[in-house]
Amino acid sequence: MTALSTYFHTDQPVIKTLKVNTLKSLRQHGGQDRALLSFDINADLRPAFHWNLKQLFVYVVAEYESSTNPLNQVIIWDKIVTSRETAWLKATDEFVKYALIDQGQELRNKTISLRLMWDHMPVTGRLYNGDERKNSFTLPAKYKN
């Protein structure tokens, strides 16, 4: 019964900044386009915490359209946040954990949107998630090493 109280918890994280800082490289690797980049993040996830939340699984997703797929979503970074005290994510020039890789050669000249997503992992009860799109950028038309 007490787990039901979390259904009414509506406090949302506050995402102040999520943007690309530097494009390190955009090149072809093994027949696929691959981009390495860094980003800036300032996200206050503390409002998401309540008595029944064990942890948040937080991740940055790069989204873009291509002629092969109308929607491409690639996780480029993730983090597990286990307490309210560590739930304010602030970083400048944070390097991606996972490269932005296209299935083919369609990253050049694409507009990429960054989205911060989080999964609520409760002690008991339902699982749910949230997200917020913050910023877009366009990759160059030519490869960059």
Side-chain angles (χ1 to χ4, degrees):
M1 180 67 165
T2 54
L4 290 176
S5 69
T6 61
Y7 279 90
F8 306 108
H9 181 82
T10 58
D11 292 332
Q12 287 293 321
V14 178
I15 316 306
K16 295 180 180 180
T17 306
L18 178 61
K19 65 179 183 176
V20 168
N21 182 306
T22 307
L23 175 64
K24 308 283 186 185
S25 72
L26 172 62
R27 61 186 177 146
Q28 192 179 76
H29 180 76
Q32 301 172 325
D33 279 358
R34 173 178 146 161
L36 295 174
L37 52 101
S38 67
F39 61 94
D40 299 338
I41 186 169
N42 184 347
D44 185 0
L45 305 173
R46 295 174 299 174
F49 275 82
H50 51 75
W51 71 270
N52 190 36
L53 187 65
K54 181 178 180 181
Q55 64 188 20
L56 287 173
F57 180 66
V58 183
Y59 46 106
V60 175
V61 175
E63 298 180 333
Y64 63 98
E65 296 177 2
S66 68
S67 61
T68 306
N69 298 304
L71 177 61
N72 296 275
Q73 295 180 307
V74 181
I75 295 173
I76 58 173
W77 181 88
D78 62 24
K79 182 179 181 88
I80 295 173
V81 179
T82 58
S83 71
R84 184 174 172 78
E85 291 74 30
T86 60
W88 196 324
L89 306 178
K90 287 184 187 178
T92 302
D93 204 26
E94 179 80 10
F95 195 70
V96 295
K97 284 185 176 182
Y98 318 105
L100 171 54
I101 300 174
D102 185 65
Q103 291 176 332
Q105 299 165 7
E106 299 186 60
L107 278 181
R108 289 167 289 153
N109 208 32
K110 292 295 182 204
T111 299
I112 311 292
S113 296
L114 294 183
R115 181 183 295 269
L116 187 67
M117 303 179 83
W118 53 92
D119 293 339
H120 296 255
M121 299 179 173
V123 174
T124 182
R126 72 181 177 110
L127 300 172
Y128 59 99
N129 58 21
D131 70 295
E132 186 173 328
R133 184 182 313 215
K134 269 324 253 189
N135 212 321
S136 296
F137 65 99
T138 302
L139 290 169
K142 295 184 179 186
Y143 291 120
K144 174 189 175 190
N145 285 326

